[in-house]
C-alpha cells in the first residue's frame, strides 16, 4: 500500500477522526489483560504509537511504563506527555530500545505499514523478554466484514485487500521464533449511536474513505443514515482482530 506521510495536518486529522473514545475500548482492555497479564511496573513497547491513544490507555489500564516508538515527528508531537510514557523516535525494523526490556509489544494498525515484517519480528524478538507476547491489532484481508467502515462503505475493502494477511504476518514472525497463540475478533464502540458515528465521519481525514469514489462514499453515507434512522439506539460497534504471537 502507499505510504501515508504523517505531517502535522494528517496527525491532527488522525487524532480527531480515527481515535476510538477510551470508553468504547472496554472489550480491548479485557482481552489484552487476559493475553498479556501485565502488572504495574512492567514495560510495554508500543510500536508505531501514532498519537499515543493506546500508550495512554496501557499506562492507565495496567500501570505499566510505555515505550512509545513512532517514526513520524508530527505524530510523536501529539502523544500526551505523562510520567510513565517515554516517547522515542524509531521504527519497528530498528527499535531504539535495549535487549529484553519489554513484557509485551503492541502494534496497533501498524503491520500494513511495515517495510520489512521479518526485520520487525527480529527486532521484537530482541526487545522482548522470553515468552513475552506480541499483540497485533489490525484489520486483515478477508476478515474485515464487521469493520463499520467496510459494512457501510464496502469499497474500502480494496485498500484492505493490499494489507498483509494473518498467515503472512505469522510466517514473517515465525522466522524470528514467534508462534501464533490466538486470534480474537474484538468489538469496540466507535460512537454511542450510528447517527453520532455518521456525524463523526470526516472523509478528508480518512485515507480509506478518500480511496473510494464519490458515488461509493455518497451511497455508503445514505445507507448509514438510513440504518441510523431505523435503529436510533443502536451503538456504532466495529470489530477488529487481535493477533497474539509469542
Ligand atoms: C494508523 S497509525 C496507528 C497509530 C496507533 N498505533 C493507533 O492505533 O492509533 C500507523 C502508525 O504507524 C507508524 N509507522 C509507519 N511505519 C512504521 C514502521 N516501519 N515502524 C513503526 N511505526 C510505523 C506511522 O507513522 C503511524 O503513526
Amino acid at each position: 500500500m502507499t505510504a501515508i506521510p504523517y505531517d502535522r495536518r494528517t496527525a491532527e486529522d488522525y487524532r480527531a477522526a480515527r481515535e476510538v473514545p477510551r470508553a468504547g475500548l472496554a472489550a480491548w482492555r479485557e482481552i489484552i489483560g487476559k493475553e498479556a497479564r501485565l502488572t504495574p511496573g512492567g514495560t510495554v513497547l508500543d510500536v508505531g504509537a501514532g498519537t499515543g491513544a493506546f500508550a495512554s490507555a496501557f499506562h492507565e489500564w495496567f500501570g505499566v511504563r510505555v515505550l512509545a516508538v513512532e517514526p513520524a515527528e508530527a505524530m510523536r508531537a501529539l502523544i500526551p506527555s505523562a510520567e510513565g510514557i517515554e516517547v522515542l523516535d524509531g521504527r519497528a525494523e530498528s527499535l531504539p530500545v535495549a535487549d529484553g526490556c519489554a513484557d509485551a509489544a503492541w502494534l496497533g494498525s501498524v503491520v500494513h505499514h511495515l517495510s520489512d515484517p521479518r526485520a520487525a519480528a527480529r527486532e521484537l524478538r530482541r526487545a522482548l523478554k522470553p515468552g513475552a507476547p506480541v499483540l497485533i491489532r489490525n484489520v486483515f484481508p478477508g476478515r474485515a466484514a464487521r469493520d463499520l467502515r467496510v459494512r457501510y462503505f464496502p469499497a474500502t475493502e480494496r485498500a484492505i485487500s493490499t494489507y498483509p494477511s494473518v498467515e503472512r504476518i505469522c510466517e514473517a514472525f515465525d522466522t524470528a521464533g514467534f508462534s501464533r497463540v490466538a486470534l480474537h475478533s474484538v468489538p469496540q464502540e466507535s460512537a454511542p449511536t450510528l447517527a453520532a458515528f455518521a456525524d463523526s465521519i470526516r472523509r478528508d481525514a480518512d485515507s480509506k474513505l478518500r480511496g473510494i469514489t464519490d458515488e461509493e462514499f455518497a451511497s455508503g453515507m445514505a445507507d448509514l443514515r438510513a440504518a441510523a434512522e431505523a435503529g436510533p439506539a443502536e451503538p456504532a460497534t466495529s470489530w477488529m482482530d487481535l493477533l497474539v504471537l509469542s
Side-chain angles (χ1 to χ4, degrees), residues 6 14 47-50 54 70-72 75 91-93 108-110 113-114 137:
Y6 284 101
Y14 183 86
V47 180
F54 279 96
E70 168 55 48
M75 298 294 260
R91 35 197 334 113
E93 296 84 351
S109 303
V110 170
H113 291 283
L114 299 178
R137 174 180 187 260

Side-chain angles (χ1 to χ4, degrees), residues 8 26 46 76 133 147 164 246:
R8 186 170 157 192
D46 183 357
R76 284 199 307 277
D147 177 290
S246 178

Side-chain angles (χ1 to χ4, degrees), residues 45-68:
L45 189 55
D46 183 357
V47 180
T51 52
F54 279 96
S56 305
F58 270 88
H59 179 56
E60 283 176 33
W61 288 341
F62 306 114
V64 289
R65 178 173 78 113
V66 180
L67 302 175

Side-chain angles (χ1 to χ4, degrees), residues 205-243:
D206 187 320
S207 60
K208 283 199 197 66
L209 294 179
R210 282 197 310 270
I212 65 178
T213 67
D214 291 349
E215 293 72 28
E216 288 164 345
F217 180 71
S219 158
M221 282 308 288
D223 289 349
L224 178 55
R225 292 281 181 204
E229 245 182 83
E234 185 185 333
T237 305
S238 195
W239 297 72
M240 281 177 83
D241 283 326
L242 177 67
L243 173 61

